[in-house]
Amino acid sequence: MSGDEPNVSFGDVSHSTFAVGSHAHAESHHHAGGVSPDPATEELLAAVRELRADLARVRADDRTAALDAELADTESEISRTGQAAPTRRERLRELLTDSQALMSVLASAGALAGLLGI
């Protein structure tokens, strides 16, 4: 190799788009953060996040811990797939129904319950 040749070095190129050469062209079709949910699911996701934030401000017990875990799983599922499966929604309905006292204290629980048809 002569001293006049260009030196090219690539580090970690995962999740990257690049092109090499004088007439090279690169396009990226990567989507960060999973699938975009529809407007109704986006509203559900916002309510899930709001209730999780409110749950952090109340004294935890077995019911609130189970609800928070299911809310976290719901948030993760929506972020990954763009939707919450019917079984996930049903589980949230059950947990919210078991937490009627919580729904009367936290407006966010009532808002989520309304979106789930309770």
Side-chain angles (χ1 to χ4, degrees):
M1 196 153 90
S2 74
D4 294 339
E5 292 182 24
N7 183 13
V8 177
S9 175
F10 294 104
D12 180 10
V13 295
S14 59
H15 307 295
S16 300
T17 304
F18 59 92
V20 178
S22 62
H23 299 290
H25 173 77
E27 287 185 38
S28 176
H29 297 282
H30 302 283
H31 297 284
V35 180
S36 297
D38 62 52
T41 303
E42 191 69 52
E43 186 177 8
L44 178 67
L45 180 59
V48 163
R49 288 176 173 160
E50 186 175 348
L51 179 52
R52 285 197 75 208
D54 285 347
L55 282 177
R57 294 186 274 276
V58 299
R59 187 177 63 213
D61 62 18
D62 291 343
R63 287 182 185 171
T64 59
L67 179 57
D68 185 56
E70 192 65 30
L71 291 167
D73 290 346
T74 302
E75 184 175 353
S76 176
E77 182 177 7
I78 292 171
S79 296
R80 269 188 345 272
T81 68
Q83 61 184 350
T87 54
R88 173 95 47 212
R89 291 172 182 251
E90 184 57 37
R91 177 73 176 134
L92 281 174
R93 281 186 200 98
E94 291 170 7
L95 290 169
L96 286 169
T97 299
D98 288 347
S99 303
Q100 287 293 328
L102 181 65
M103 287 198 311
S104 65
V105 173
L106 297 175
S108 60
L112 179 58
L115 290 170
L116 293 169
I118 298 176

